[in-house]
Amino acid sequence: MAGAGSAAVSGAGTPVAGPAGRDLFAEGLLEFLRPAVQQLDSHVHAVRESQVELREQIDNLASELCRINEDQKVALDLDPYVKKLLNARRRVVLVNNILQNAQQWKKRTNNGVLDPVFGDWVALL
């Protein structure tokens, strides 16, 4: 029973010790987590696309407000609204950068996991 905690079990019920057992466990864990990671990745991608569209709409609206402000005969002070739009655009860009960094990290770690025993990366695929 001493080695039972560190050994994986094959389909026939026999223990698989050592690196083969770790590989089998890692593959099983990856297959278990893969659908959730793929779903999260697709949601992040969709959010990034909507953020790009939002940024473009904010830019268009800001330029349109500036044009309206220049064309008005009556003095309307639209500058505070333009500044608010540009501040919102800056936040959109910041969130988009955070999402992009998270996706890049996910891509770097997609094919490996950190081995808790040796502390290095182990390729899974």
Side-chain angles (χ1 to χ4, degrees), residues 6 8 16-27 115 118 122:
S6 63
V16 179
R22 270 197 317 253
D23 290 346
L24 183 63
F25 176 75
E27 287 177 24
D115 187 332
F118 298 107
V122 177

Side-chain angles (χ1 to χ4, degrees), residues 12-118:
T14 57
V16 179
R22 270 197 317 253
D23 290 346
L24 183 63
F25 176 75
E27 287 177 24
L29 184 61
L30 179 64
E31 288 303 315
F32 177 73
L33 295 175
R34 183 171 284 152
V37 170
Q38 288 174 341
Q39 183 181 20
L40 180 63
D41 190 45
S42 68
H43 288 292
V44 167
H45 184 68
V47 168
R48 286 188 62 209
E49 287 179 358
S50 69
Q51 295 254 317
V52 168
E53 291 175 21
L54 180 59
R55 185 180 65 212
E56 290 171 357
Q57 290 177 0
I58 287 172
D59 288 343
N60 291 338
L61 184 57
S63 64
E64 187 67 22
L65 281 175
C66 287
R67 188 191 61 77
I68 288 171
N69 198 27
E70 290 171 0
D71 292 346
Q72 288 292 339
K73 293 183 177 27
V74 178
L76 292 175
D77 189 21
L78 297 178
D79 287 339
Y81 302 106
V82 171
K83 287 179 184 177
K84 285 182 181 181
L85 282 171
L86 294 177
N87 190 26
R89 182 189 184 281
R90 183 185 55 79
R91 288 193 307 260
V92 166
V93 169
L94 179 65
V95 169
N96 193 30
N97 288 341
I98 291 169
L99 290 173
Q100 184 177 5
N101 289 338
Q103 271 192 318
Q104 288 173 353
W105 179 83
K106 181 242 169 214
K107 287 178 184 177
R108 284 193 311 266
T109 60
N110 196 28
N111 293 331
V113 294
L114 187 60
D115 187 332
V117 176
F118 298 107

